[in-house]
Amino acid sequence: MVSALPTLDGDVIDPVAERRDVSDTVIGSLMLAFDGLEVPADVAERLARAPAAGVTLFRFSNVADPGQIRSLTAAIQAAAAGGRVATAAGHVAATDRGGAARDLPILIAADQEGGQLIGLGDGTTPFAGNMALGAAGDPELTERVWRAMGLELRALGVTVDYGPVCDLATNPANPAIGIRSFGDDPQAVGELVAAAVRGLQSAGVAAALKHFPGLGDVASDSHHELPLLAADRGSLESGELVPFRAGIVAGARIVMSAHLAVPALTGDPQLPSTLAPAVMNGLLRGELGFDGVSITDALDMRALAQGLNQVLDVLAALRAGVDLLLTAPDPEARARIEAGLRHAAARGLIDTAAARASAGRVRALRGWLAGFDQPELAVVGGAAHAALADELAARALTLVRDDEGLLPLALDPTDRIAAIMPTPTDQTPADTSSTVRAGLAAALRAHHQAVDEIIVDYAPSADDIGAVRDRVRDHALVVVGTTAATAERGQAALVEALLAAGPPVVTVALRTPFDLAAYPASRVHASSYGLLRPSLEALGAALFGRAAFPGRLPVAIPGLHPTGHGLVR
């Protein structure tokens, strides 16, 4: 039996009680997740029984419509407050050990980036993503858009947005970032990151800068494997770290780690930066001066260990200086992580001072969030935000080429247009494009009735390509959109076949502008930076001369066009 022990100051501590407190404190670092449109009974019981920092909502697990989300978030908060007891003075007191403060709302988070990742569903306003804001190049517009997104999040009961993305779009082969980035210029991206932070947090939603220290210049997806960022320290200072510095100066409350190897910072090409004290403590807190809350990217990503070894990486993340652990909707994995954390606490493997400092930072964040009111649900998807989404889409449109002087289109009413695009597809787990309806033909029909819609597979086969080529031979014009021509050779082959088919062709990059490099023979080309309805409607209007192409490329198209290029029409 272990008895109470005196300290050097003469105080008496109980090692068993001390470790129990540490256990509860470290368990309070979890961001829970679950499957279901309502709070499952076991999750409600878990929230009431033990500390938890909060809950992450996922589009394909928890989202139906705005009313359902608001009800769900209210139920989550009610369950988390279930441990309250009345004190003799009549106040509400926290029953959690470790300073979990049940009198404060817990964190409720989501990925609401706009563009290709709209984590809270179709009921929210369909804002184009960061690369559209980069093409518009206006920090004031960026701040307005992110404030509008923040108001919608807050109205839904969501208080943390996993964004903005601070990664630079410097590698066209990067499968996970794309239009989630503002662009490739560190200073320009930094200005827009700061504006996004100001806008979001003015609405009472904590911004989470991601993916620290920079996930843009890699060629693999951390959802599936550990990427390697080969940049040297000097390149990191002048590139990847610039937007994060700007976001921190702007007051961002949270920074999310990237699961990637950065040997220039760690000396180890196999160590994920999430697990590296040199990154999460030395660089983030020591050199960049960040004093807010740090959080891992999702723990189920394959760049980290999974299965029985997962808890080892979880412990390493905590020891590296991370405050919060982002779990996925996997009850077995969560139970395994919690059991491992409690066992580590019982063995004295948790740094008590560090755990309590983390809990203090999270408690301060929750206190800040408690100072904002919840807007009415009517703000979500309202007319003012819809007009703002239309403004963004129109200001982003970029005309990259018109070597034939084809635009604006001037067609006889009987001339037939073929509108071709791939089926919208999730190209990475950080993607909700599969929920979007193909809308290129509808956008063109608003200005010209004789439009034939052709939707091809994301990866069209040679037979598919031949059939489409034969079908369009007698059309007066072909408008073809691509979503991944640099990665999916079939999309590039389709464009090449159409360019050889005979009719004039307008190509449109419906996601990243990099697609033009896969079919450089195209002579009339535009970038919309997304395939959401506002972006396609703006494209249709501009092609027919009823609106302008005011945007500029926020990234360079290798070997073809520099950052900042654009033809104003």
Side-chain angles (χ1 to χ4, degrees):
M1 178 176 179
V2 180
S3 60
L5 301 173
T7 68
L8 292 176
D9 296 327
D11 296 329
V12 176
I13 61 171
D14 180 344
V16 174
E18 178 80 1
R19 290 181 179 182
R20 185 171 62 240
D21 287 347
V22 173
S23 177
D24 281 350
T25 300
V26 74
I27 287 296
S29 67
L30 289 173
M31 290 291 290
L32 308 180
F34 57 84
D35 284 315
L37 302 182
E38 299 179 348
V39 183
D42 67 307
V43 174
E45 190 276 334
R46 164 66 181 81
L47 287 167
R49 170 176 48 83
V55 173
T56 302
L57 303 183
F58 291 95
R59 170 74 179 259
F60 299 115
S61 295
N62 308 115
V63 171
D65 56 65
Q68 170 266 328
I69 299 170
R70 185 165 167 132
S71 295
L72 176 60
T73 58
I76 290 170
Q77 295 290 3
R84 290 181 175 184
V85 296
T87 66
H91 301 298
V92 172
T95 60
D96 291 343
R97 295 178 292 273
R102 284 189 183 273
D103 54 330
L104 295 174
I106 65 169
L107 311 177
I108 301 182
D111 281 304
Q112 187 78 349
E113 296 179 7
Q116 76 176 52
L117 184 52
I118 299 182
L120 293 174
D122 295 336
T124 59
T125 301
F127 289 108
N130 285 346
M131 194 165 283
L133 287 163
D138 183 353
E140 187 271 340
L141 174 63
T142 299
E143 187 167 343
R144 284 193 288 131
V145 167
W146 276 84
R147 174 173 168 79
M149 289 200 294
L151 290 171
E152 296 198 3
L153 285 158
R154 192 78 202 204
L156 295 172
V158 177
T159 56
V160 173
D161 192 1
Y162 294 144
V165 168
C166 300
D167 308 311
L168 301 176
T170 50
N171 188 341
N174 189 312
I177 299 301
I179 58 171
R180 302 169 67 197
S181 168
F182 287 108
D184 64 10
D185 180 83
Q187 297 299 329
V189 171
E191 290 183 13
L192 298 183
V193 165
V197 169
R198 292 193 299 267
L200 187 63
Q201 294 190 166
S202 72
V205 176
L209 308 178
K210 65 183 184 185
H211 306 83
F212 184 78
L215 196 57
D217 195 17
V218 300
S220 58
D221 189 340
S222 54
H223 290 92
H224 307 302
E225 59 184 308
L226 179 68
L228 175 69
L229 180 59
D232 60 29
R233 182 59 192 260
S235 297
L236 293 173
E237 287 289 345
S238 61
E240 279 79 3
L241 296 181
V242 171
F244 288 99
R245 289 184 187 274
I248 290 170
V249 170
R253 297 278 171 168
I254 303 173
V255 170
M256 176 183 285
S257 69
H259 303 325
L260 83 163
V262 192
L265 299 176
T266 67
D268 188 342
Q270 298 298 321
L271 178 64
S273 53
T274 297
L275 316 183
V279 177
M280 301 310 301
N281 191 15
L283 176 59
L284 179 61
R285 298 204 183 278
E287 296 184 39
L288 273 61
F290 179 66
D291 60 2
V293 172
S294 60
I295 185 171
T296 69
D297 205 342
L299 295 176
D300 66 333
M301 296 168 70
R302 301 296 167 177
L304 298 184
Q306 301 299 307
L308 296 178
N309 286 333
Q310 185 180 47
V311 72
L312 299 178
D313 278 0
V314 168
L315 289 170
L318 293 176
R319 292 174 71 88
V322 172
D323 295 321
L324 295 181
L325 303 167
L326 200 170
T327 67
D330 181 344
E332 292 184 4
R334 190 190 77 219
R336 187 169 59 241
I337 290 169
E338 291 189 359
L341 291 174
R342 289 201 181 277
H343 183 73
R347 290 288 188 263
L349 302 178
I350 301 297
D351 184 320
T352 302
R356 288 179 175 162
S358 286
R361 287 189 287 267
V362 174
R363 184 165 59 249
L365 173 60
R366 291 167 64 185
W368 178 78
L369 291 168
F372 293 84
D373 295 328
Q374 185 175 25
E376 296 297 324
L377 191 59
V379 74
V380 181
H385 290 178
L388 182 57
D390 290 342
E391 178 186 351
L392 167 57
R395 291 179 61 180
L397 277 181
T398 305
L399 182 58
V400 181
R401 288 180 176 175
D402 186 14
D403 295 347
E404 297 182 356
L406 187 61
L407 301 181
L409 297 174
L411 301 173
D412 187 277
T414 61
D415 288 340
R416 301 208 65 81
I417 299 174
I420 306 166
M421 67 175 291
T423 301
T425 301
D426 294 339
Q427 298 178 25
T428 169
D431 199 341
T432 55
S433 298
S434 62
T435 65
V436 179
R437 182 176 180 180
L440 179 59
L444 298 180
R445 285 193 192 111
H447 307 278
H448 187 89
Q449 285 298 304
V451 177
D452 296 325
E453 181 175 53
I454 303 174
I455 300 173
V456 298
D457 287 343
Y458 169 75
S461 66
D463 289 344
D464 296 333
I465 293 169
V468 172
R469 180 195 59 222
D470 292 343
R471 184 175 172 183
V472 305
R473 289 190 189 280
D474 295 329
H475 284 71
L477 178 74
V478 173
V479 179
V480 54
T482 59
T483 57
T486 55
E488 176 43 59
R489 180 58 197 164
Q491 292 189 25
L494 172 64
V495 172
E496 291 167 348
L498 294 171
L499 291 172
V505 176
V506 177
T507 59
V508 183
L510 297 175
R511 284 177 64 136
T512 68
F514 302 130
D515 276 11
L516 180 60
Y519 43 80
S522 173
R523 296 174 58 81
V524 185
H525 182 79
S527 286
S528 69
Y529 310 100
L531 44 71
L532 298 176
R533 177 194 51 75
S535 295
L536 295 184
E537 289 183 353
L539 172 67
L543 289 176
F544 283 91
R546 296 179 175 94
F549 284 95
R552 294 287 191 276
L553 287 175
V555 295
I557 304 176
L560 297 177
H561 299 288
T563 303
H565 170 78
L567 306 177
V568 178
R569 293 288 177 85

